[in-house]
Amino acid sequence: MKTLTLLLTLSLLASGCMADDDGDEGNENSWRFLQKQRDVAAVSNPQYQEECGSCHLAYPPGLLPARSWKKIMTHLDQHFDDNAELEADVQKQLTEYLLLHSADHSSYRRSGRIMRSLNGDDVPIRITELAYFRHKHNEIPQRMIKGNDKVGSLSNCNACHRRAEQGFFNEREINIPGYGAWDD
Amino acid sequence: MNYPLYIFLIFGLSASSVFAVNTSTVDRLLQNYRQQGAHDFDGKAGEKLWHQSFKNPKTGKLHNCTSCHSKNLRKPGKHVRTGKHIDPLAPSVNAERLTDIRKVKKWLLRNCKWTLGRKCTAQEKGNILRYLQSQ
């Protein structure tokens, strides 16, 4: 059994390395695998990136539970004081993608932590209001967020987490515009 | 000087197909709007509407199309709420603009509803397209 697991692991690593011509990306994939999916899953749907990513970062679906995405996707005409209406077929396809990859359907560790930080049947529609999120960001002074015109708001993940769309939120990767790395 | 007829035909067809690529999306939409009763689309009226401000009933703030698309259509814009970069809207600097019919329809619906607080009429949409097309 051990040999089988080892073989499987090796073949997965190899396929990760070969999946991309770019050597660095390949290593990254294997590194991620070794890290036991520590962060959240990367955004993997080009239509989602196109439709939602034209106004804001295409938030990785593993940052909210399925029930939250469902609520957000049924009120797109009143989407945080904006109109984000989609044609019915696109709306349906994107909802399916979000539900399937939501925090409660993800094996990624950070998604699991987000789920465990929720209160019972809470249906949060803002990532920034999650207990887990607030806990992680409560030490950052406002001058680095609101007072920083390159950031403006905590919902602008990729201002500091430059690879947010790829699902990387590791503290060591943080790069706050005008301030650099975060050291707490 | 006796060129066979097919040479003229080839030139004629290729010229008309280039023309068709450049205008078909807008033309198709304008045709739809005509069927809804709109006519004589006017770029000047489109430009006026583009710059006209409307009060958002929820936030109380005044918005117009330039709030996100910048005052210069040949320059990038910035989403007024999220700050996200928006590619220039003028087809003269961004050839992809006004070519995808689904995209044009989607944004005209969404952005009219958000900016004006209502759907645009077929006439207004046609005027705006004429204005954008000239940029």
Side-chain angles (χ1 to χ4, degrees), chain A residues 128-146:
Chain A
T128 51
E129 281 172 7
L130 298 169
Y132 174 82
F133 182 97
R134 289 158 80 124
H135 169 70
K136 286 281 180 190
H137 295 87
N138 63 2
E139 285 174 18
I140 309 164
Q142 284 300 316
R143 69 189 147 88
M144 294 186 183
I145 310 161
K146 276 220 167 108

Side-chain angles (χ1 to χ4, degrees), chain A residues 47 50-51 53-58 77-87 89-90 126 149 151 156 158 165, chain B residues 56 58-59 68 78-86 100-103 105-107 109-115 119:
Chain A
Q47 195 179 23
E50 159 83 23
E51 294 295 346
S54 47
C55 293
H56 54 68
L57 166 79
D77 57 333
Q78 288 164 46
H79 186 69
F80 303 100
D81 291 334
D82 201 347
N83 184 308
E85 265 175 74
L86 291 169
E87 284 179 82
D89 56 338
V90 182
R126 289 176 190 271
D149 62 356
V151 182
N156 199 2
N158 53 332
E165 205 167 299
Chain B
N56 185 307
K58 264 195 152 180
T59 62
C68 292
K78 198 174 161 188
H79 193 284
V80 72
R81 280 186 56 79
T82 66
K84 176 120 187 172
H85 169 98
I86 300 172
D100 182 335
I101 201 157
R102 274 185 81 131
K103 252 190 189 174
K105 278 179 158 176
K106 177 182 81 180
W107 287 112
L109 173 74
R110 272 190 195 180
N111 291 352
C112 280
K113 278 190 167 180
W114 186 75
T115 315
K119 283 185 182 178

Side-chain angles (χ1 to χ4, degrees), chain A residues 10-22:
Chain A
L10 282 174
S11 63
L12 273 167
L13 283 178
S15 66
C17 292
M18 288 189 296
D20 206 292
D21 288 335
D22 186 339

Side-chain angles (χ1 to χ4, degrees), chain A residues 7-65:
Chain A
L7 272 174
L8 268 173
T9 314
L10 282 174
S11 63
L12 273 167
L13 283 178
S15 66
C17 292
M18 288 189 296
D20 206 292
D21 288 335
D22 186 339
D24 283 332
E25 285 246 334
N27 287 335
E28 221 159 68
N29 285 343
S30 351
W31 178 236
R32 287 206 66 153
F33 185 79
L34 286 171
Q35 284 205 318
K36 290 187 188 160
Q37 306 181 320
R38 184 166 283 189
D39 247 307
V40 286
V43 172
S44 57
N45 182 321
Q47 195 179 23
Y48 174 66
Q49 274 162 318
E50 159 83 23
E51 294 295 346
C52 306
S54 47
C55 293
H56 54 68
L57 166 79
Y59 298 105
L63 292 172
L64 284 175

Side-chain angles (χ1 to χ4, degrees), chain B residues 33-117:
Chain B
Y33 301 152
R34 276 186 204 102
Q35 282 160 7
Q36 296 166 41
H39 55 87
D40 298 333
F41 301 107
D42 176 8
K44 278 263 178 290
E47 183 176 6
K48 201 177 155 206
L49 182 60
W50 189 263
H51 290 93
Q52 192 178 332
S53 293
F54 298 86
K55 195 172 180 177
N56 185 307
K58 264 195 152 180
T59 62
K61 286 185 185 159
L62 281 175
H63 291 299
N64 60 40
C65 303
T66 69
S67 306
C68 292
H69 289 293
S70 115
K71 291 207 162 61
N72 183 347
L73 285 170
R74 293 175 184 83
K75 296 243 167 80
K78 198 174 161 188
H79 193 284
V80 72
R81 280 186 56 79
T82 66
K84 176 120 187 172
H85 169 98
I86 300 172
D87 286 334
L89 201 47
S92 60
V93 295
N94 185 356
E96 265 182 44
R97 292 303 195 185
L98 310 184
T99 57
D100 182 335
I101 201 157
R102 274 185 81 131
K103 252 190 189 174
V104 178
K105 278 179 158 176
K106 177 182 81 180
W107 287 112
L108 278 173
L109 173 74
R110 272 190 195 180
N111 291 352
C112 280
K113 278 190 167 180
W114 186 75
T115 315
L116 282 69

Side-chain angles (χ1 to χ4, degrees), chain A residues 153-167:
Chain A
S153 150
L154 280 177
S155 46
N156 199 2
C157 310
N158 53 332
C160 308
H161 301 280
R162 306 291 167 95
R163 296 196 298 162
E165 205 167 299
Q166 286 91 56

